[in-house]
Amino acid sequence: MRDIVFTRASGWIPNVIREDGELKLMLGAGADANHAPRTFTFPIGEAHLAVIREDLARHLLLWSAVIPLCDAAGTRDRLDEDAAVALLDPILLSAPADVDAFFRHIRWDRGQLIAHGADIDLLERGQVCAAMRAATETSNRKRAQEYDANRRRAERGTVLGPLDAALLRYTGQYVHGATVPRRMPDAVDPALLTEVMRVIATAEQACAGMRICRDPRRGKRATDKRDWERMATTVDAAVRRAHPGLVDDAVRTVSFLMCSEAADRSRSAPMEDDEEPDGTFGEGARKTALSFTDDKGVEKEWRADGPRTATAVFWEFVEDRSAGDNEVFTIEDEKMGEGIQLHFYADSLARITTVREGEGGADPEYRVEYSLVDGIGGYRTLVSAFVRGGCAALDQHGSWIADAAEFERARRRRDAD
């Protein structure tokens, strides 16, 4: 039989219950192996209940000291009840100076106290009782999260100035640096917003006209890592030059914002068309029918009289089909007897030209030449050139090696650099 004896407005603060006639403190902390919340109890006395009922600060201090014991219990072990009971008298019944001294020798959850209004400066000086004079039953988790974020920065030797902090708040990354940034002007002190927008304008001007293209090799929402790095480097340099007083965290959040927005624009747009209808190779050279295949034997046909360009359709095919075990894609022009094979796993490409058709049951004779490819941008250039002008149009793009062994040595030298 379990009865609630005392509870506070916040359901997370430990309750006092009576179970089988015995007073106990009950709190939820951690989770079990199935991610369900765990509940712990341990016995207390009437004197402890009286303090818990009347003194919110002592109640919260006890909670912060019990949490590490719950963490130690993990997902399946029992709470160390002896250790929990040993906390009761020193925290609930001792003089403030003795409580402060006690907290200097035990583990306790600082964030929980900060969330409930503890004075951070006093906590840092070890004056835990005085720090809890302004304690509240309601919790402000954001306050604790910001404290943890600042503590982590301090461990890295980073101290934010007012503008640094304002930029991080503007992008929503003050607490979590891995959060996808977004524009939140309402989160910034109005007195600093104009200066924040000046920094943002510097970044926007620096990357004007730059794009982060899609990388179909890695799926539907993937973007080109090199494009991202190029934009981030450009924005970083411009912001540091124009605003030299900013710390790395602030500069990084601005470049992250610019890159994230550019990547989102690319993801939401149709697959880019890489073809340039400039007639460079003559209308007769441009492909009119192609077949695309992957390493699993799936095939897709394209014809020039369709609504989409060959490059857009091919890269959508790659986007849909590419996977860790499907990294070889082929474009073939059966009529002209030529094609290219893209090897995403090796950053290489082969162009294949029919030298002699098979006659009398003999196999055709092919010329195969290989080239190293520099990222998705290199692949896009080669695919576009092939679609516009066939294998002959690839001569001006890269060095072509006919000997497979020689090419493999070149590939290994590149990968070793």
Side-chain angles (χ1 to χ4, degrees):
M1 183 69 177
R2 174 183 291 180
D3 297 314
I4 300 292
V5 175
F6 176 72
T7 186
R8 293 192 181 274
S10 171
W12 286 105
I13 300 177
N15 298 324
V16 178
I17 64 170
R18 193 178 300 277
E19 190 172 49
D20 298 329
E22 183 179 21
L23 282 177
K24 293 183 178 181
L25 193 74
M26 181 177 70
L27 71 156
D32 61 20
N34 296 318
H35 306 291
R38 297 198 70 190
T39 299
F40 300 94
T41 63
F42 62 94
I44 66 171
E46 292 288 350
H48 304 132
L49 170 60
V51 175
I52 288 171
R53 193 189 296 272
E54 298 299 327
D55 194 332
L56 171 64
R58 297 284 182 126
H59 192 178
L60 294 172
L61 287 171
L62 176 62
W63 185 22
S64 75
V66 175
I67 286 175
L69 299 179
C70 298
D71 292 341
T75 60
R76 64 183 66 182
D77 292 338
R78 294 173 59 84
L79 178 72
D80 185 342
E81 286 194 5
D82 291 339
V85 169
L87 298 171
L88 294 171
D89 286 358
I91 295 176
L92 298 179
L93 305 180
S94 299
D98 294 331
V99 175
D100 291 347
F102 185 69
F103 267 72
R104 287 195 286 270
H105 297 93
I106 63 168
R107 293 178 57 211
W108 49 287
D109 190 311
R110 192 180 305 258
Q112 202 65 259
L113 300 182
I114 292 172
H116 283 271
D119 184 298
I120 294 174
D121 290 337
L122 291 175
L123 278 186
E124 297 285 2
R125 294 203 295 267
Q127 298 173 255
V128 295
C129 288
M132 298 304 294
R133 286 174 185 157
T136 61
E137 285 195 29
T138 56
S139 173
N140 182 351
R141 294 304 307 169
K142 184 178 179 181
R143 186 171 187 257
Q145 290 170 346
E146 291 188 352
Y147 169 80
D148 287 338
N150 286 327
R151 179 176 52 79
R152 291 193 298 271
R153 292 188 188 101
E155 290 172 353
R156 293 188 280 111
T158 298
V159 178
L160 300 180
L163 181 57
D164 301 313
L167 285 164
L168 289 166
R169 294 186 190 282
Y170 179 83
T171 61
Q173 290 198 298
Y174 188 91
V175 172
H176 299 295
T179 301
V180 176
R182 55 195 187 280
R183 300 185 185 228
M184 302 172 58
D186 291 344
V188 179
D189 182 342
L192 289 168
L193 186 56
T194 299
E195 201 168 353
V196 165
M197 297 312 299
R198 189 176 297 118
V199 176
I200 298 299
T202 298
E204 290 172 335
Q205 292 166 10
C207 63
M210 299 183 73
R211 298 173 61 206
I212 296 180
C213 294
R214 305 248 288 272
D215 188 345
R217 300 172 300 174
R218 296 166 45 224
K220 287 184 175 294
R221 292 189 56 79
T223 52
D224 187 354
K225 182 179 179 181
R226 292 189 181 187
D227 283 352
W228 183 294
E229 292 173 346
R230 189 178 303 114
M231 182 178 289
T233 299
T234 299
V235 172
D236 277 12
V239 171
R240 290 182 193 279
R241 185 167 54 250
H243 309 277
L246 295 176
V247 301
D248 289 346
D249 288 26
V251 175
R252 194 177 301 116
T253 199
V254 174
S255 63
F256 193 5
L257 175 66
M258 297 297 113
C259 292
S260 294
E261 291 180 341
D264 282 344
R265 288 193 293 271
S266 179
R267 292 187 189 104
S268 61
M271 181 60 69
E272 299 96 327
D273 175 11
D274 296 322
E275 298 174 45
E276 300 174 6
D278 56 6
T280 302
F281 301 99
E283 289 302 319
R286 188 177 295 276
K287 300 300 183 182
T288 58
L290 297 169
S291 65
F292 310 141
T293 56
D294 66 5
D295 212 21
K296 302 291 186 181
V298 175
E299 183 174 1
K300 186 179 185 67
E301 299 289 335
W302 171 85
R303 294 188 178 279
D305 56 3
R308 305 291 305 283
T309 64
T311 54
V313 173
F314 172 71
W315 287 119
E316 284 183 350
F317 177 66
V318 171
E319 188 178 65
D320 289 338
R321 300 289 305 162
S322 183
D325 61 348
N326 195 20
E327 296 185 285
V328 178
F329 288 78
T330 301
I331 305 176
E332 183 179 2
D333 182 342
E334 185 176 357
K335 179 179 178 181
M336 297 299 295
E338 62 181 5
I340 56 175
Q341 191 173 70
L342 294 72
H343 312 127
F344 293 147
Y345 66 90
D347 285 331
S348 65
L349 181 143
R351 64 177 179 179
I352 305 163
T353 309
T354 303
V355 176
R356 185 178 298 105
E357 297 288 348
E359 297 179 358
D363 292 333
E365 180 182 346
Y366 300 103
R367 180 172 66 250
V368 182
E369 300 167 290
Y370 305 90
S371 180
L372 298 173
V373 181
D374 188 15
I376 187 61
Y379 278 118
R380 284 186 176 279
T381 297
L382 292 168
V383 168
S384 179
F386 176 77
V387 168
R388 295 199 309 266
C391 283
L394 300 177
D395 286 339
Q396 61 184 295
H397 299 287
S399 300
W400 295 91
I401 303 173
D403 183 82
E406 180 185 346
F407 173 73
E408 183 61 22
R409 288 192 292 272
R411 188 178 72 82
R412 290 178 178 176
R413 285 194 298 272
R414 177 202 61 187
D415 292 347
D417 291 340

